[in-house]
Amino acid sequence: ADELLISNGDWGRTGTAFDGLRLRHKEEHYWADLFFTQPVEGQGIAPGMDQSFGGLWLGAPLGDFSFELYGLVRDDRKDYGTMTDDLTIGGRAKWGIKDGLAVKAELASQTGDHGALDAGGMLAMFDAGMPVATGLTVGVNVLYASGDSDPADGDDEAFKPYFHTPHKILGAADLVQLTNVLDTSFYLRYKANTDWRFAGGVHWMTLAETHGALPDLRGGLVKAAGQDDLGIEVDAMAWYDVHESAEIHFGVSDFLAGDAIAGGDDQIWVFGQL
């Protein structure tokens, strides 16, 4: 549901698709998924890539508390000359405390090879949300994905993302991907009725490692040396259920570039999707 690691990629024309097999075993107090897939070119991986992706995912729902453990294996056999063969091990927990307060946290680490470098990235997330009125929830989220300060030392300490959805987790402008970033955000969500939902948020993003690469999703930004403030993004959006199988999602994002962006050009994005 968080779409930090694996998502359906529904913000886009093709989405994320996998060819593969998943086996599920489910009992009253736990479940286990074992899966092996190949992401589809152009729908999860870039054209020309050939990747195997699989793993084991375990979950235990225990009333107000639940936790999950996972191990994910990725093997790129053709990645434009840079081979990736890594393992990501992690876990997440969710806890409904009282008065509607819900807390969740996740931690993951990578080992293996990123090309000629030894993988060693880290991912961490903390979220706390609470209803404050009928249909209205407010919360705070802190998301960290490590960066690499020195590729020449033989170690790649940057977290290499899988199939996350930036539009959902790192601001609706889709400028930043899940590597070398520390994002602190405040959000509110309001469900007006069965047809309308609204959300807003403020993201403050900095580099996790000042000397690491810019986490630019589109490749259009230029890094300013010695700076780590990526900027602030303000989002406002809405969803309208046209009917049971159609939804309109639209909104606006204002990105205020920080000192780490050379030139410091602000951006306003207006978006819509059916």
Side-chain angles (χ1 to χ4, degrees):
D2 295 323
E3 303 188 29
L4 280 176
L5 296 176
I6 306 171
S7 76
N8 58 12
D10 63 354
W11 182 256
R13 292 170 294 174
T14 60
T16 305
F18 303 87
D19 295 326
L21 176 69
R22 184 182 74 168
L23 301 176
R24 164 162 285 199
H25 180 74
K26 189 174 183 180
E27 298 288 348
E28 181 179 358
H29 297 299
Y30 77 94
W31 52 264
D33 282 350
L34 179 66
F35 63 97
F36 175 82
T37 71
Q38 287 189 303
V40 178
E41 293 183 32
Q43 292 183 256
I45 56 173
M49 289 182 63
D50 184 11
Q51 183 182 99
S52 295
F53 172 63
L56 177 65
W57 204 296
L58 307 173
L62 304 171
D64 292 335
F65 180 80
S66 65
F67 69 91
E68 301 174 26
L69 299 173
Y70 53 81
L72 305 174
V73 177
R74 168 175 48 189
D75 182 11
D76 295 344
R77 290 176 296 280
K78 183 181 179 183
D79 188 3
Y80 303 103
T82 304
M83 305 295 290
T84 296
D85 182 6
D86 63 5
L87 167 67
T88 299
I89 296 176
R92 59 177 57 164
K94 298 180 181 180
W95 185 20
I97 302 176
K98 64 177 182 177
D99 298 327
L101 176 62
V103 174
K104 54 187 177 182
E106 183 160 354
L107 183 65
S109 66
Q110 291 180 336
T111 59
D113 298 317
H114 289 170
L117 305 179
D118 295 331
M122 296 287 296
L123 173 72
M125 184 274 293
F126 174 82
D127 184 281
M130 183 174 182
V132 296
T134 302
L136 178 63
T137 298
V138 298
V140 59
N141 182 280
V142 180
L143 179 58
Y144 168 84
S146 62
D148 186 27
S149 60
D150 182 13
D153 65 2
D155 296 323
D156 181 14
E157 297 174 351
F159 183 81
K160 187 169 185 178
Y162 283 93
F163 310 99
H164 65 300
T165 298
H167 193 82
K168 182 174 181 179
I169 62 175
L170 284 167
D174 295 333
L175 294 174
V176 177
Q177 65 175 329
L178 192 59
T179 184
N180 196 27
V181 63
L182 173 61
D183 175 32
T184 302
S185 61
F186 301 90
Y187 61 84
L188 60 85
R189 298 168 185 153
Y190 178 59
K191 185 173 183 179
N193 50 47
T194 57
D195 296 330
W196 281 97
R197 291 177 292 128
F198 301 89
V202 178
H203 295 259
W204 175 41
M205 293 176 280
T206 63
L207 293 174
E209 172 51 61
T210 302
H211 300 291
L214 197 68
D216 182 7
L217 184 64
R218 296 194 181 99
L221 301 178
V222 178
K223 181 181 174 184
Q227 303 293 332
D228 61 6
D229 182 16
L230 291 172
I232 294 174
E233 180 175 321
V234 181
D235 299 325
M237 63 195 82
W239 294 259
Y240 174 66
D241 289 336
V242 181
H243 89 27
E244 61 183 11
S245 60
E247 174 188 80
I248 296 174
H249 174 34
F250 59 93
V252 60
S253 294
D254 188 7
F255 178 72
L256 308 174
D259 293 338
I261 308 298
D265 291 336
D266 299 340
Q267 303 184 31
I268 295 179
W269 291 83
V270 178
F271 56 87
Q273 174 179 265
L274 173 64

